[in-house]
Every structure is written in C-alpha cells, then in structure tokens.
Amino acid sequence: MTGESPATGSDYILEALEAEGTSTLFGLIGEGNAHLLDRVNDHDIEFAYARHEQVAVTMADAYARTTGSVGVCTLTHGPGVTNGATGIAAADRDNVPLMIIVGDTGIEGRETSLQYLDHQSFTRPISVYQTRIESIETAPETIRRAFGKARTQHGPAIVEIPSDVQTADAPEATYRPKPVLSQRTSPDPSVVVEAVELLDNAESPVILAGGGAMASQAADALSSLAERLGAPIAVTYFGKGLFDADAPLYSGIAGTFMSPANDELLWDADVVVTAGAQLSGKVTRYGDLYADADVIQIDIDPDAIARYRSPSVSLLGDAAATVDALTERIAPVPDRTERVKGIVERAENGFEFEPSSPDGVLDPREATREVAARIPDDSIVTIDSGNNTGFPAVFHPMGADGRMLVNGNFGTMGYALPAALGAQVAAPDRTVVCYAGDGSLLQVVQDIETASRLGLPIIVIVLNDESYGIIRHRQQLEYGRQTAADYESPDFATVARGLGARAETVRSLDGFDAIDGHLRSASSKPLVLDVRTDPDVSRPGFPPY
C-alpha cells in the first residue's frame, strides 16, 4: 500500500489478494464495490475493467486457464452478479478456479436496498463455495478458505463484502495465505493393480486426455504409457495443444469433431484410460463411442469420478503421477505400438474437402486453415459456441506450446472475445486469436473497446454466416424451415473501427494478409476481421452431433 490515509477493510482485502499472488483484478465498478476499487489506486494490483460483467468474469476465467492460478474478479451486488452469472456458470462447468468478490450493500438495511439479492442462494448451483464477510475481523479466515475452495474444488468461490466492512478499520495482523501444497498426489497402489490387470488383457486400448492432463503437464507421461501400451492418445477439446500435431501415437481430437485417425481407432476400443477427461455426451457421441469398453478414470477431483459414466476402475490422483504409476507396471506391446503408429500416420491428412466457392464468401474450413498457417505455433486460440466451434477443432492444428480455450461444458455464446482479452492480459508476449461467430460476437461486441483501451492486440476472426448457424442447420434438418435464425449482419469492420480497433472485411484468402501486417507491426490495437463465410457449410460432426 502506498497511500497515506488510514488503512481500511478494502485495503486489507487488496493486500490479501496480493499475498495470494493476484496481480490483476478483473471486474466492473458499481455502487457495491466502489470503495474497494477506489483503494486499488493505492495498491500494486492492476484493475482491468470490462463493459459487461459476463465479459469481466470470462476474462478472469481465461486468465486462470492461461496462468494456472486463481482468476479474481469483482462485481457489484444485484444486477452485477446476475449479469456475471453466465460467466460464473461457464467457469463452474469447466472447473476453472475463480475468486468472485461481490461488493454488497451494508449490513444494516440490506434487504430494503434497491439492488438487494440473496447472492449465496442465487450462486449456489453455479459455484463451489459461497460466503459473506460479516465483520472485518472474520476477513482473514474467510478469504483463506475461499481461495482454498477455489483451488481444491476447481471452481468459482463467491465472497460477499458489505460496504461497511470495506470502510471499516483494517485489522492490524498481516494477512497470511494458507500454504499451497505442490506435491503430486499418487493413486492407491492396490487400485493401480486393478487397472494394470485390465490393460494387460486389453486388445484395443486407447488413452483420452483432457484439461486435467493439460493442467498436470502430463504429455511426457502419457507418451510413455502410450508407447508401452500400444495405444493412441486422443484428446478432448480441452486437451488440444497438449501434444504437437505430429507427435507419435497422438491421434487428434475425439468425440464430436473426430479426427480421421480416431474414427478408425476408437470405435473398437475395449479399455479406455481417461486422464483428466470426462466422458460427456459430446466426447462419447452421446453414448455410441466406448459403449462396451471398460473405463479406467484418472482424475484429481473426487467429484469428477463417475460424473457421466461409472468407471470400471477409478484412480484418484494427479494425472502425470498416476499415469507414471501405470506405465511402470505395463508390459510393452511393440507390435501393437507399430500398428497404431501406422494408422495415425496414414490418417494424418484425412481432413480433405472440396471448398465451397459462392461469390463473395469463403468456405469456413478453408478460412480457418489460412488463419492457422499465418500465426505462431504457440498462439493461444479462443473458441466460441455455435457453428463456428467445429472449424478450429478440426482445421486449426496446435503446437505443444499452443493452447485452445473453449467453454466446452456449457456452450456459452459470447465466450471467445472476453477469453481472448483475459488470455492476452495473462500472456502479453503471445499471439492470441479469437474465433467467434457473428451471433456470438453480437452479444459482447462492446468489449472490443476494452481490447483497444487496454492495448490488447488480439486477432478476432468473425466467421460470419449471417445467422445463428448451428440452430439454422438444426432447424433445416428437423423442421425443413428456419425461424429467427437468419439476419442481415452488421458491418463488423465499421463497428470495430468505431470501438478503436483495426478492422477489415474479408471475402477472399488474400484478405488474411492483414494478419501478417498486424503481427509485423507489433500494434497494441486489436485486429478484427469480418470473414464472410458460406452459410451452407455446417461444422464438422453435424449431423447429428
């Protein structure tokens, strides 16, 4: 703290955030958190504010995913929390650790306030912890517990701080964070034996890696297990970027956006090892995939075990440590390893298509490949929900140092732009690319201004088919007609320029030269490309998934 005025509860809260490792606070100011944010001026925390609370929460979400730390966001009471709820729910579904500080009405007269809301009841279904600091004396233990819950239960913790607690005199004692244990937890050895027995008897084992494997940095461990076991390594959307695209035995994305290699390898699986991955509907093609296979589920979160399907064996522990424990006990199967490698290599270039070529619009598959070819391998790529979701999954290969961020378990429209903002704040030296549909971008378009104001040079690719694309395709398939899914799109380039960005409308592949110029210029402004695409091209995997 650098100010000369007496320390307040707000000062103490901010000092506690600093002690917990917080350098950036996301949010939006309102009556409830105005005092807290006034005191930010006297602390070494950057306040990165958005123009909508959903955006602010999602910025913190992407910051957490990118850094591996707890993302911290502050909202005002009532409508601030309800506006932010979609972002909170999305983080909760994807197990992202967040600390949401809700500035609330003072304790006296709270329920007669214009913006009164029972925040704890409202957020209980979409967060892992909800609490209220009733007096400044209880602040230290409450904050420690909230950070602990966010970290260990992998989700949003909601902490209400009334205005009179914010303005109270700060406690004299220095805030001390609870030590964060860094050792990797290993599974029960007797359960490992059960898993090894299944794998020793398997004829077509496969490995499925997800976000938990990414968080555990389990790529090397998984590669060793796959090599010994003779199993392909498939990934969920959350695991894309865990391996280089040409890594041995890496067979690409599985489920809805199935790679050609996985389409050949996964249907006959008799044992599936899931490492930090969930067998949700999209991952299993709604139960068709792995229907008769035994499942060995590895997860560090007890609540994740059997969330979608009861495993034959459940191994509670860190992904890398648990996979290592399996590998030590598995006998090599070299013939199977070579056979699987051959299938992966043959299928490597299987995503071929004949580009559609109506006048004035691009095939979104071709457009996505063009973007991928022009950006660094270690880029962070954020993906929105809708028809646009499938094109980066299939046609944007990632290097092992790259990362894809997607809200894969809630399907939130308007996720990609704020996620790109948060990721760029977290990683200012990396290229960040956002793929958004036109419908998704219209929900958060105002926060292009946030990118301009904060000097975040994100690249926004609007795959613009002038419709709610996936709804339009489903309507046509199921009803033979469309309702409220088509519209005339705005000129996003003009809108973006008005919000301070560089922008172009793209109707040919040459238009992507703007990306090259943007990267060469090292601009601090965002670049928005309104890519007009063929509305008749549906995402990979449709229908019916």
Side-chain angles (χ1 to χ4, degrees), residues 9 12-13 107 132-143 160-162 164-166 168-169 171:
Y12 188 83
I13 299 299
I107 293 171
R132 180 177 173 84
I133 299 177
E134 296 287 0
S135 69
I136 194 60
E137 289 75 22
T138 65
E141 182 54 35
T142 303
I143 294 171
E160 296 178 44
I161 306 179
D164 42 7
V165 172
Q166 296 175 46
D169 292 339

mmCIF file with all atom_site columns, all heavy atoms in Angstrom, residues 9 12-13 107 132-143 160-162 164-166 168-169 171:
data_model
loop_
_atom_site.group_PDB
_atom_site.id
_atom_site.type_symbol
_atom_site.label_atom_id
_atom_site.label_alt_id
_atom_site.label_comp_id
_atom_site.label_asym_id
_atom_site.label_entity_id
_atom_site.label_seq_id
_atom_site.pdbx_PDB_ins_code
_atom_site.Cartn_x
_atom_site.Cartn_y
_atom_site.Cartn_z
_atom_site.occupancy
_atom_site.B_iso_or_equiv
_atom_site.pdbx_formal_charge
_atom_site.auth_seq_id
_atom_site.auth_comp_id
_atom_site.auth_asym_id
_atom_site.auth_atom_id
_atom_site.pdbx_PDB_model_num
ATOM 1   N N   . GLY A 1 9   ? -10.857 -1.744  5.502  1.00 0.00 ? 9   GLY A N   1
ATOM 2   C CA  . GLY A 1 9   ? -11.135 -3.126  5.142  1.00 0.00 ? 9   GLY A CA  1
ATOM 3   C C   . GLY A 1 9   ? -10.823 -3.399  3.682  1.00 0.00 ? 9   GLY A C   1
ATOM 4   O O   . GLY A 1 9   ? -10.306 -4.465  3.333  1.00 0.00 ? 9   GLY A O   1
ATOM 5   N N   . TYR A 1 12  ? -7.218  -3.980  3.303  1.00 0.00 ? 12  TYR A N   1
ATOM 6   C CA  . TYR A 1 12  ? -6.842  -5.300  3.807  1.00 0.00 ? 12  TYR A CA  1
ATOM 7   C C   . TYR A 1 12  ? -7.196  -6.392  2.787  1.00 0.00 ? 12  TYR A C   1
ATOM 8   O O   . TYR A 1 12  ? -6.405  -7.307  2.554  1.00 0.00 ? 12  TYR A O   1
ATOM 9   C CB  . TYR A 1 12  ? -7.549  -5.582  5.134  1.00 0.00 ? 12  TYR A CB  1
ATOM 10  C CG  . TYR A 1 12  ? -7.049  -6.841  5.800  1.00 0.00 ? 12  TYR A CG  1
ATOM 11  C CD1 . TYR A 1 12  ? -5.895  -6.821  6.571  1.00 0.00 ? 12  TYR A CD1 1
ATOM 12  C CD2 . TYR A 1 12  ? -7.708  -8.053  5.624  1.00 0.00 ? 12  TYR A CD2 1
ATOM 13  C CE1 . TYR A 1 12  ? -5.412  -7.978  7.170  1.00 0.00 ? 12  TYR A CE1 1
ATOM 14  C CE2 . TYR A 1 12  ? -7.232  -9.215  6.215  1.00 0.00 ? 12  TYR A CE2 1
ATOM 15  C CZ  . TYR A 1 12  ? -6.088  -9.167  6.984  1.00 0.00 ? 12  TYR A CZ  1
ATOM 16  O OH  . TYR A 1 12  ? -5.607  -10.316 7.565  1.00 0.00 ? 12  TYR A OH  1
ATOM 17  N N   . ILE A 1 13  ? -8.374  -6.279  2.178  1.00 0.00 ? 13  ILE A N   1
ATOM 18  C CA  . ILE A 1 13  ? -8.781  -7.252  1.159  1.00 0.00 ? 13  ILE A CA  1
ATOM 19  C C   . ILE A 1 13  ? -7.790  -7.241  0.005  1.00 0.00 ? 13  ILE A C   1
ATOM 20  O O   . ILE A 1 13  ? -7.353  -8.298  -0.484 1.00 0.00 ? 13  ILE A O   1
ATOM 21  C CB  . ILE A 1 13  ? -10.197 -6.931  0.635  1.00 0.00 ? 13  ILE A CB  1
ATOM 22  C CG1 . ILE A 1 13  ? -11.237 -6.986  1.763  1.00 0.00 ? 13  ILE A CG1 1
ATOM 23  C CG2 . ILE A 1 13  ? -10.570 -7.882  -0.508 1.00 0.00 ? 13  ILE A CG2 1
ATOM 24  C CD1 . ILE A 1 13  ? -11.374 -8.307  2.433  1.00 0.00 ? 13  ILE A CD1 1
ATOM 25  N N   . ILE A 1 107 ? -24.536 -3.969  5.984  1.00 0.00 ? 107 ILE A N   1
ATOM 26  C CA  . ILE A 1 107 ? -25.287 -4.953  6.763  1.00 0.00 ? 107 ILE A CA  1
ATOM 27  C C   . ILE A 1 107 ? -26.636 -4.396  7.212  1.00 0.00 ? 107 ILE A C   1
ATOM 28  O O   . ILE A 1 107 ? -27.659 -5.075  7.166  1.00 0.00 ? 107 ILE A O   1
ATOM 29  C CB  . ILE A 1 107 ? -24.440 -5.415  7.970  1.00 0.00 ? 107 ILE A CB  1
ATOM 30  C CG1 . ILE A 1 107 ? -23.219 -6.194  7.454  1.00 0.00 ? 107 ILE A CG1 1
ATOM 31  C CG2 . ILE A 1 107 ? -25.267 -6.285  8.923  1.00 0.00 ? 107 ILE A CG2 1
ATOM 32  C CD1 . ILE A 1 107 ? -22.200 -6.512  8.510  1.00 0.00 ? 107 ILE A CD1 1
ATOM 33  N N   . ARG A 1 132 ? -20.029 -14.871 3.111  1.00 0.00 ? 132 ARG A N   1
ATOM 34  C CA  . ARG A 1 132 ? -20.184 -13.431 3.326  1.00 0.00 ? 132 ARG A CA  1
ATOM 35  C C   . ARG A 1 132 ? -19.295 -13.020 4.494  1.00 0.00 ? 132 ARG A C   1
ATOM 36  O O   . ARG A 1 132 ? -19.269 -13.700 5.529  1.00 0.00 ? 132 ARG A O   1
ATOM 37  C CB  . ARG A 1 132 ? -21.652 -13.109 3.612  1.00 0.00 ? 132 ARG A CB  1
ATOM 38  C CG  . ARG A 1 132 ? -21.966 -11.635 3.869  1.00 0.00 ? 132 ARG A CG  1
ATOM 39  C CD  . ARG A 1 132 ? -23.465 -11.463 4.065  1.00 0.00 ? 132 ARG A CD  1
ATOM 40  N NE  . ARG A 1 132 ? -23.822 -10.115 4.479  1.00 0.00 ? 132 ARG A NE  1
ATOM 41  C CZ  . ARG A 1 132 ? -24.007 -9.090  3.637  1.00 0.00 ? 132 ARG A CZ  1
ATOM 42  N NH1 . ARG A 1 132 ? -23.872 -9.296  2.340  1.00 0.00 ? 132 ARG A NH1 1
ATOM 43  N NH2 . ARG A 1 132 ? -24.346 -7.893  4.082  1.00 0.00 ? 132 ARG A NH2 1
ATOM 44  N N   . ILE A 1 133 ? -18.564 -11.954 4.330  1.00 0.00 ? 133 ILE A N   1
ATOM 45  C CA  . ILE A 1 133 ? -17.753 -11.420 5.427  1.00 0.00 ? 133 ILE A CA  1
ATOM 46  C C   . ILE A 1 133 ? -18.631 -10.477 6.239  1.00 0.00 ? 133 ILE A C   1
ATOM 47  O O   . ILE A 1 133 ? -18.956 -9.374  5.788  1.00 0.00 ? 133 ILE A O   1
ATOM 48  C CB  . ILE A 1 133 ? -16.503 -10.692 4.880  1.00 0.00 ? 133 ILE A CB  1
ATOM 49  C CG1 . ILE A 1 133 ? -15.630 -11.649 4.083  1.00 0.00 ? 133 ILE A CG1 1
ATOM 50  C CG2 . ILE A 1 133 ? -15.708 -10.072 6.021  1.00 0.00 ? 133 ILE A CG2 1
ATOM 51  C CD1 . ILE A 1 133 ? -14.407 -11.003 3.448  1.00 0.00 ? 133 ILE A CD1 1
ATOM 52  N N   . GLU A 1 134 ? -19.041 -10.921 7.402  1.00 0.00 ? 134 GLU A N   1
ATOM 53  C CA  . GLU A 1 134 ? -19.956 -10.128 8.223  1.00 0.00 ? 134 GLU A CA  1
ATOM 54  C C   . GLU A 1 134 ? -19.246 -9.045  9.037  1.00 0.00 ? 134 GLU A C   1
ATOM 55  O O   . GLU A 1 134 ? -19.842 -8.048  9.420  1.00 0.00 ? 134 GLU A O   1
ATOM 56  C CB  . GLU A 1 134 ? -20.738 -11.043 9.176  1.00 0.00 ? 134 GLU A CB  1
ATOM 57  C CG  . GLU A 1 134 ? -21.664 -12.027 8.469  1.00 0.00 ? 134 GLU A CG  1
ATOM 58  C CD  . GLU A 1 134 ? -22.893 -11.370 7.869  1.00 0.00 ? 134 GLU A CD  1
ATOM 59  O OE1 . GLU A 1 134 ? -23.047 -10.144 7.989  1.00 0.00 ? 134 GLU A OE1 1
ATOM 60  O OE2 . GLU A 1 134 ? -23.699 -12.093 7.236  1.00 0.00 ? 134 GLU A OE2 1
ATOM 61  N N   . SER A 1 135 ? -17.957 -9.240  9.304  1.00 0.00 ? 135 SER A N   1
ATOM 62  C CA  . SER A 1 135 ? -17.166 -8.222  10.010 1.00 0.00 ? 135 SER A CA  1
ATOM 63  C C   . SER A 1 135 ? -15.732 -8.332  9.527  1.00 0.00 ? 135 SER A C   1
ATOM 64  O O   . SER A 1 135 ? -15.297 -9.397  9.081  1.00 0.00 ? 135 SER A O   1
ATOM 65  C CB  . SER A 1 135 ? -17.230 -8.430  11.525 1.00 0.00 ? 135 SER A CB  1
ATOM 66  O OG  . SER A 1 135 ? -16.537 -9.611  11.896 1.00 0.00 ? 135 SER A OG  1
ATOM 67  N N   . ILE A 1 136 ? -14.994 -7.244  9.608  1.00 0.00 ? 136 ILE A N   1
ATOM 68  C CA  . ILE A 1 136 ? -13.639 -7.245  9.094  1.00 0.00 ? 136 ILE A CA  1
ATOM 69  C C   . ILE A 1 136 ? -12.759 -8.231  9.856  1.00 0.00 ? 136 ILE A C   1
ATOM 70  O O   . ILE A 1 136 ? -11.789 -8.766  9.304  1.00 0.00 ? 136 ILE A O   1
ATOM 71  C CB  . ILE A 1 136 ? -13.035 -5.821  9.126  1.00 0.00 ? 136 ILE A CB  1
ATOM 72  C CG1 . ILE A 1 136 ? -11.758 -5.767  8.274  1.00 0.00 ? 136 ILE A CG1 1
ATOM 73  C CG2 . ILE A 1 136 ? -12.807 -5.357  10.540 1.00 0.00 ? 136 ILE A CG2 1
ATOM 74  C CD1 . ILE A 1 136 ? -11.943 -6.106  6.825  1.00 0.00 ? 136 ILE A CD1 1
ATOM 75  N N   . GLU A 1 137 ? -13.109 -8.539  11.110 1.00 0.00 ? 137 GLU A N   1
ATOM 76  C CA  . GLU A 1 137 ? -12.316 -9.483  11.891 1.00 0.00 ? 137 GLU A CA  1
ATOM 77  C C   . GLU A 1 137 ? -12.354 -10.896 11.305 1.00 0.00 ? 137 GLU A C   1
ATOM 78  O O   . GLU A 1 137 ? -11.424 -11.674 11.491 1.00 0.00 ? 137 GLU A O   1
ATOM 79  C CB  . GLU A 1 137 ? -12.801 -9.515  13.343 1.00 0.00 ? 137 GLU A CB  1
ATOM 80  C CG  . GLU A 1 137 ? -12.464 -8.262  14.148 1.00 0.00 ? 137 GLU A CG  1
ATOM 81  C CD  . GLU A 1 137 ? -13.337 -7.073  13.789 1.00 0.00 ? 137 GLU A CD  1
ATOM 82  O OE1 . GLU A 1 137 ? -14.459 -7.292  13.252 1.00 0.00 ? 137 GLU A OE1 1
ATOM 83  O OE2 . GLU A 1 137 ? -12.899 -5.922  14.018 1.00 0.00 ? 137 GLU A OE2 1
ATOM 84  N N   . THR A 1 138 ? -13.426 -11.215 10.605 1.00 0.00 ? 138 THR A N   1
ATOM 85  C CA  . THR A 1 138 ? -13.534 -12.559 10.016 1.00 0.00 ? 138 THR A CA  1
ATOM 86  C C   . THR A 1 138 ? -12.924 -12.639 8.616  1.00 0.00 ? 138 THR A C   1
ATOM 87  O O   . THR A 1 138 ? -12.881 -13.712 8.019  1.00 0.00 ? 138 THR A O   1
ATOM 88  C CB  . THR A 1 138 ? -15.011 -13.000 9.939  1.00 0.00 ? 138 THR A CB  1
ATOM 89  O OG1 . THR A 1 138 ? -15.715 -12.138 9.030  1.00 0.00 ? 138 THR A OG1 1
ATOM 90  C CG2 . THR A 1 138 ? -15.666 -12.962 11.310 1.00 0.00 ? 138 THR A CG2 1
ATOM 91  N N   . ALA A 1 139 ? -12.448 -11.507 8.088  1.00 0.00 ? 139 ALA A N   1
ATOM 92  C CA  . ALA A 1 139 ? -11.949 -11.470 6.717  1.00 0.00 ? 139 ALA A CA  1
ATOM 93  C C   . ALA A 1 139 ? -10.775 -12.414 6.462  1.00 0.00 ? 139 ALA A C   1
ATOM 94  O O   . ALA A 1 139 ? -10.772 -13.130 5.453  1.00 0.00 ? 139 ALA A O   1
ATOM 95  C CB  . ALA A 1 139 ? -11.580 -10.041 6.321  1.00 0.00 ? 139 ALA A CB  1
ATOM 96  N N   . PRO A 1 140 ? -9.756  -12.447 7.337  1.00 0.00 ? 140 PRO A N   1
ATOM 97  C CA  . PRO A 1 140 ? -8.597  -13.293 7.008  1.00 0.00 ? 140 PRO A CA  1
ATOM 98  C C   . PRO A 1 140 ? -8.960  -14.762 6.779  1.00 0.00 ? 140 PRO A C   1
ATOM 99  O O   . PRO A 1 140 ? -8.589  -15.346 5.751  1.00 0.00 ? 140 PRO A O   1
ATOM 100 C CB  . PRO A 1 140 ? -7.674  -13.121 8.224  1.00 0.00 ? 140 PRO A CB  1
ATOM 101 C CG  . PRO A 1 140 ? -8.062  -11.812 8.814  1.00 0.00 ? 140 PRO A CG  1
ATOM 102 C CD  . PRO A 1 140 ? -9.533  -11.684 8.579  1.00 0.00 ? 140 PRO A CD  1
ATOM 103 N N   . GLU A 1 141 ? -9.687  -15.347 7.708  1.00 0.00 ? 141 GLU A N   1
ATOM 104 C CA  . GLU A 1 141 ? -10.011 -16.762 7.580  1.00 0.00 ? 141 GLU A CA  1
ATOM 105 C C   . GLU A 1 141 ? -10.975 -17.000 6.415  1.00 0.00 ? 141 GLU A C   1
ATOM 106 O O   . GLU A 1 141 ? -10.874 -18.004 5.694  1.00 0.00 ? 141 GLU A O   1
ATOM 107 C CB  . GLU A 1 141 ? -10.621 -17.301 8.874  1.00 0.00 ? 141 GLU A CB  1
ATOM 108 C CG  . GLU A 1 141 ? -10.945 -18.787 8.841  1.00 0.00 ? 141 GLU A CG  1
ATOM 109 C CD  . GLU A 1 141 ? -9.743  -19.644 8.438  1.00 0.00 ? 141 GLU A CD  1
ATOM 110 O OE1 . GLU A 1 141 ? -8.605  -19.296 8.800  1.00 0.00 ? 141 GLU A OE1 1
ATOM 111 O OE2 . GLU A 1 141 ? -9.950  -20.648 7.736  1.00 0.00 ? 141 GLU A OE2 1
ATOM 112 N N   . THR A 1 142 ? -11.906 -16.079 6.181  1.00 0.00 ? 142 THR A N   1
ATOM 113 C CA  . THR A 1 142 ? -12.864 -16.236 5.085  1.00 0.00 ? 142 THR A CA  1
ATOM 114 C C   . THR A 1 142 ? -12.157 -16.207 3.732  1.00 0.00 ? 142 THR A C   1
ATOM 115 O O   . THR A 1 142 ? -12.442 -17.032 2.847  1.00 0.00 ? 142 THR A O   1
ATOM 116 C CB  . THR A 1 142 ? -13.927 -15.125 5.141  1.00 0.00 ? 142 THR A CB  1
ATOM 117 O OG1 . THR A 1 142 ? -14.575 -15.159 6.417  1.00 0.00 ? 142 THR A OG1 1
ATOM 118 C CG2 . THR A 1 142 ? -14.962 -15.305 4.050  1.00 0.00 ? 142 THR A CG2 1
ATOM 119 N N   . ILE A 1 143 ? -11.235 -15.290 3.565  1.00 0.00 ? 143 ILE A N   1
ATOM 120 C CA  . ILE A 1 143 ? -10.518 -15.195 2.290  1.00 0.00 ? 143 ILE A CA  1
ATOM 121 C C   . ILE A 1 143 ? -9.633  -16.410 2.086  1.00 0.00 ? 143 ILE A C   1
ATOM 122 O O   . ILE A 1 143 ? -9.565  -16.976 0.983  1.00 0.00 ? 143 ILE A O   1
ATOM 123 C CB  . ILE A 1 143 ? -9.700  -13.892 2.241  1.00 0.00 ? 143 ILE A CB  1
ATOM 124 C CG1 . ILE A 1 143 ? -10.642 -12.689 2.240  1.00 0.00 ? 143 ILE A CG1 1
ATOM 125 C CG2 . ILE A 1 143 ? -8.810  -13.862 0.999  1.00 0.00 ? 143 ILE A CG2 1
ATOM 126 C CD1 . ILE A 1 143 ? -9.942  -11.367 2.420  1.00 0.00 ? 143 ILE A CD1 1
ATOM 127 N N   . GLU A 1 160 ? -19.051 -12.297 -0.567 1.00 0.00 ? 160 GLU A N   1
ATOM 128 C CA  . GLU A 1 160 ? -19.722 -11.002 -0.423 1.00 0.00 ? 160 GLU A CA  1
ATOM 129 C C   . GLU A 1 160 ? -18.972 -10.163 0.603  1.00 0.00 ? 160 GLU A C   1
ATOM 130 O O   . GLU A 1 160 ? -18.648 -10.636 1.699  1.00 0.00 ? 160 GLU A O   1
ATOM 131 C CB  . GLU A 1 160 ? -21.145 -11.183 0.077  1.00 0.00 ? 160 GLU A CB  1
ATOM 132 C CG  . GLU A 1 160 ? -22.077 -11.932 -0.838 1.00 0.00 ? 160 GLU A CG  1
ATOM 133 C CD  . GLU A 1 160 ? -23.448 -12.084 -0.192 1.00 0.00 ? 160 GLU A CD  1
ATOM 134 O OE1 . GLU A 1 160 ? -23.955 -11.093 0.385  1.00 0.00 ? 160 GLU A OE1 1
ATOM 135 O OE2 . GLU A 1 160 ? -23.998 -13.188 -0.221 1.00 0.00 ? 160 GLU A OE2 1
ATOM 136 N N   . ILE A 1 161 ? -18.743 -8.891  0.244  1.00 0.00 ? 161 ILE A N   1
ATOM 137 C CA  . ILE A 1 161 ? -18.103 -7.967  1.184  1.00 0.00 ? 161 ILE A CA  1
ATOM 138 C C   . ILE A 1 161 ? -18.983 -6.724  1.285  1.00 0.00 ? 161 ILE A C   1
ATOM 139 O O   . ILE A 1 161 ? -19.016 -5.889  0.374  1.00 0.00 ? 161 ILE A O   1
ATOM 140 C CB  . ILE A 1 161 ? -16.686 -7.584  0.733  1.00 0.00 ? 161 ILE A CB  1
ATOM 141 C CG1 . ILE A 1 161 ? -15.842 -8.842  0.481  1.00 0.00 ? 161 ILE A CG1 1
ATOM 142 C CG2 . ILE A 1 161 ? -16.018 -6.702  1.785  1.00 0.00 ? 161 ILE A CG2 1
ATOM 143 C CD1 . ILE A 1 161 ? -14.444 -8.562  0.008  1.00 0.00 ? 161 ILE A CD1 1
ATOM 144 N N   . PRO A 1 162 ? -19.732 -6.572  2.375  1.00 0.00 ? 162 PRO A N   1
ATOM 145 C CA  . PRO A 1 162 ? -20.615 -5.408  2.538  1.00 0.00 ? 162 PRO A CA  1
ATOM 146 C C   . PRO A 1 162 ? -19.817 -4.104  2.556  1.00 0.00 ? 162 PRO A C   1
ATOM 147 O O   . PRO A 1 162 ? -18.636 -4.081  2.920  1.00 0.00 ? 162 PRO A O   1
ATOM 148 C CB  . PRO A 1 162 ? -21.292 -5.657  3.891  1.00 0.00 ? 162 PRO A CB  1
ATOM 149 C CG  . PRO A 1 162 ? -21.138 -7.122  4.134  1.00 0.00 ? 162 PRO A CG  1
ATOM 150 C CD  . PRO A 1 162 ? -19.849 -7.508  3.498  1.00 0.00 ? 162 PRO A CD  1
ATOM 151 N N   . ASP A 1 164 ? -19.958 -1.601  4.562  1.00 0.00 ? 164 ASP A N   1
ATOM 152 C CA  . ASP A 1 164 ? -19.447 -1.159  5.862  1.00 0.00 ? 164 ASP A CA  1
ATOM 153 C C   . ASP A 1 164 ? -18.236 -1.984  6.307  1.00 0.00 ? 164 ASP A C   1
ATOM 154 O O   . ASP A 1 164 ? -17.441 -1.523  7.126  1.00 0.00 ? 164 ASP A O   1
ATOM 155 C CB  . ASP A 1 164 ? -20.539 -1.160  6.938  1.00 0.00 ? 164 ASP A CB  1
ATOM 156 C CG  . ASP A 1 164 ? -21.450 -2.359  6.886  1.00 0.00 ? 164 ASP A CG  1
ATOM 157 O OD1 . ASP A 1 164 ? -21.173 -3.278  6.089  1.00 0.00 ? 164 ASP A OD1 1
ATOM 158 O OD2 . ASP A 1 164 ? -22.449 -2.376  7.618  1.00 0.00 ? 164 ASP A OD2 1
ATOM 159 N N   . VAL A 1 165 ? -18.081 -3.188  5.776  1.00 0.00 ? 165 VAL A N   1
ATOM 160 C CA  . VAL A 1 165 ? -16.851 -3.944  6.028  1.00 0.00 ? 165 VAL A CA  1
ATOM 161 C C   . VAL A 1 165 ? -15.713 -3.349  5.196  1.00 0.00 ? 165 VAL A C   1
ATOM 162 O O   . VAL A 1 165 ? -14.565 -3.260  5.663  1.00 0.00 ? 165 VAL A O   1
ATOM 163 C CB  . VAL A 1 165 ? -17.051 -5.432  5.692  1.00 0.00 ? 165 VAL A CB  1
ATOM 164 C CG1 . VAL A 1 165 ? -15.732 -6.198  5.761  1.00 0.00 ? 165 VAL A CG1 1
ATOM 165 C CG2 . VAL A 1 165 ? -18.069 -6.056  6.644  1.00 0.00 ? 165 VAL A CG2 1
ATOM 166 N N   . GLN A 1 166 ? -16.025 -2.905  3.985  1.00 0.00 ? 166 GLN A N   1
ATOM 167 C CA  . GLN A 1 166 ? -14.995 -2.276  3.156  1.00 0.00 ? 166 GLN A CA  1
ATOM 168 C C   . GLN A 1 166 ? -14.447 -1.008  3.798  1.00 0.00 ? 166 GLN A C   1
ATOM 169 O O   . GLN A 1 166 ? -13.242 -0.720  3.712  1.00 0.00 ? 166 GLN A O   1
ATOM 170 C CB  . GLN A 1 166 ? -15.568 -1.939  1.772  1.00 0.00 ? 166 GLN A CB  1
ATOM 171 C CG  . GLN A 1 166 ? -15.985 -3.143  0.941  1.00 0.00 ? 166 GLN A CG  1
ATOM 172 C CD  . GLN A 1 166 ? -16.660 -2.737  -0.356 1.00 0.00 ? 166 GLN A CD  1
ATOM 173 O OE1 . GLN A 1 166 ? -16.187 -1.851  -1.067 1.00 0.00 ? 166 GLN A OE1 1
ATOM 174 N NE2 . GLN A 1 166 ? -17.777 -3.391  -0.677 1.00 0.00 ? 166 GLN A NE2 1
ATOM 175 N N   . ALA A 1 168 ? -14.538 -0.200  7.073  1.00 0.00 ? 168 ALA A N   1
ATOM 176 C CA  . ALA A 1 168 ? -14.103 -0.371  8.464  1.00 0.00 ? 168 ALA A CA  1
ATOM 177 C C   . ALA A 1 168 ? -12.584 -0.255  8.572  1.00 0.00 ? 168 ALA A C   1
ATOM 178 O O   . ALA A 1 168 ? -11.861 -0.344  7.577  1.00 0.00 ? 168 ALA A O   1
ATOM 179 C CB  . ALA A 1 168 ? -14.559 -1.735  8.975  1.00 0.00 ? 168 ALA A CB  1
ATOM 180 N N   . ASP A 1 169 ? -12.092 -0.047  9.785  1.00 0.00 ? 169 ASP A N   1
ATOM 181 C CA  . ASP A 1 169 ? -10.647 -0.035  10.003 1.00 0.00 ? 169 ASP A CA  1
ATOM 182 C C   . ASP A 1 169 ? -10.071 -1.413  9.721  1.00 0.00 ? 169 ASP A C   1
ATOM 183 O O   . ASP A 1 169 ? -10.647 -2.434  10.105 1.00 0.00 ? 169 ASP A O   1
ATOM 184 C CB  . ASP A 1 169 ? -10.329 0.359   11.448 1.00 0.00 ? 169 ASP A CB  1
ATOM 185 C CG  . ASP A 1 169 ? -10.681 1.811   11.744 1.00 0.00 ? 169 ASP A CG  1
ATOM 186 O OD1 . ASP A 1 169 ? -10.776 2.604   10.784 1.00 0.00 ? 169 ASP A OD1 1
ATOM 187 O OD2 . ASP A 1 169 ? -10.867 2.151   12.932 1.00 0.00 ? 169 ASP A OD2 1
ATOM 188 N N   . PRO A 1 171 ? -7.788  -4.743  9.985  1.00 0.00 ? 171 PRO A N   1
ATOM 189 C CA  . PRO A 1 171 ? -7.155  -5.491  11.084 1.00 0.00 ? 171 PRO A CA  1
ATOM 190 C C   . PRO A 1 171 ? -5.656  -5.171  11.138 1.00 0.00 ? 171 PRO A C   1
ATOM 191 O O   . PRO A 1 171 ? -5.032  -4.857  10.112 1.00 0.00 ? 171 PRO A O   1
ATOM 192 C CB  . PRO A 1 171 ? -7.381  -6.961  10.709 1.00 0.00 ? 171 PRO A CB  1
ATOM 193 C CG  . PRO A 1 171 ? -8.496  -6.946  9.720  1.00 0.00 ? 171 PRO A CG  1
ATOM 194 C CD  . PRO A 1 171 ? -8.393  -5.648  9.005  1.00 0.00 ? 171 PRO A CD  1
#
